[in-house]
Amino acid sequence: MAVKGAVVGDILGAQFEFDRPRNLDWKNVPLTEGAAIGFTDDTVMTLAIKKALKTGADLVETMVDIGRKYPHSGYGGRFYGWINGDNHEPYNSWGNGSAMRGAFVGEFYEDYEEMQKMAEATAAVSHNHPEGIKGAVVTATCIWMARHGKSKQDIYDYVLEQYPKAEYEYSIAYSLDEMRPHYKWNESCQGSVPAAMRCFCESDDYESFIRNVFSLECDSDTFGAIAGGVAEEFYGGFGSVDGEGLLKKYLTPELLEILNM
């Protein structure tokens, strides 16, 4: 399930989002080393969208209702205001929040056009900037492609088409070796989605995907949520990572119930 892959990626990535050691031994560090491990707003919003789409509930109302129950999960400032205020109109954001919450869209819809249309809809309620919408659509589409047996090359080519090297600083065209010396923490879709997908493309299994995320000084929980669903679908599970154990350990009963709907 892509949603499980996204949530586990969020949980594992959270420990190094704001507290990544300068000389982190990302190839060998225990996967649950950090004190800050646990789910973030990425998980909360991913599962809110799942609940809305599974039950036919209003998307915004569900996001607000569930989001308010977890006020300290790490929302960005503007989205925190969107969740907790009275005005739930979109605010032209290109932040990576639209991409990190879209795993269920790629998992749930069989029809390609319907999937892309719903990915756009889940972004546009808040992140209606073209880059915010693109980030959500690309994330859901990569999951959909992995589910439907597309190769890594197919996924890479699609992401490259959306984020060409000539136009994007962190295009998927750049290898991780090329990115590592200059990549800086970036909360935009355009700075997160193609780099996160590169972490997937250079992986051999779910664990190596997570370690690739650890290798960058990045918004690591969101990288894990964005491409974790692709990795889980492509590899058919978590391999050596105890994904199910992490989900049971860190999710609240309410969120675990939504996950297993």
Side-chain angles (χ1 to χ4, degrees), residues 111-177:
D111 181 78
Y112 184 84
E113 292 184 0
E114 186 179 15
M115 172 272 299
Q116 289 203 320
K117 185 179 297 184
M118 184 52 67
E120 179 176 345
T122 64
V125 293
S126 56
H127 293 53
N128 60 330
H129 186 282
E131 291 291 350
I133 290 173
K134 180 190 286 190
V137 172
V138 169
T139 299
T141 300
C142 289
I143 289 169
W144 187 95
M145 293 175 74
R147 284 183 57 236
H148 286 83
K150 301 298 183 181
S151 68
K152 277 189 183 177
Q153 188 65 51
D154 292 332
I155 294 171
Y156 170 88
D157 289 344
Y158 167 72
V159 178
L160 181 61
E161 181 182 40
Q162 300 301 311
Y163 297 100
K165 188 175 183 179
E167 299 177 27
Y168 289 90
E169 181 180 9
Y170 300 124
S171 169
I172 196 172
Y174 294 104
S175 70
L176 294 180
D177 283 343

Side-chain angles (χ1 to χ4, degrees), residues 41-47 49-50 59 63 79 82 91 96-105 120-128 136 139 222 225-226:
D41 58 317
D42 301 39
T43 289
V44 175
M45 287 298 104
T46 295
L47 295 177
I49 286 174
K50 176 173 182 176
L59 184 61
M63 291 169 69
F79 191 71
W82 187 89
Y91 50 91
N96 56 23
S98 61
M100 57 79 167
R101 66 196 189 206
F104 186 66
V105 177
E120 179 176 345
T122 64
V125 293
S126 56
H127 293 53
N128 60 330
T139 299
T222 299
I226 288 172

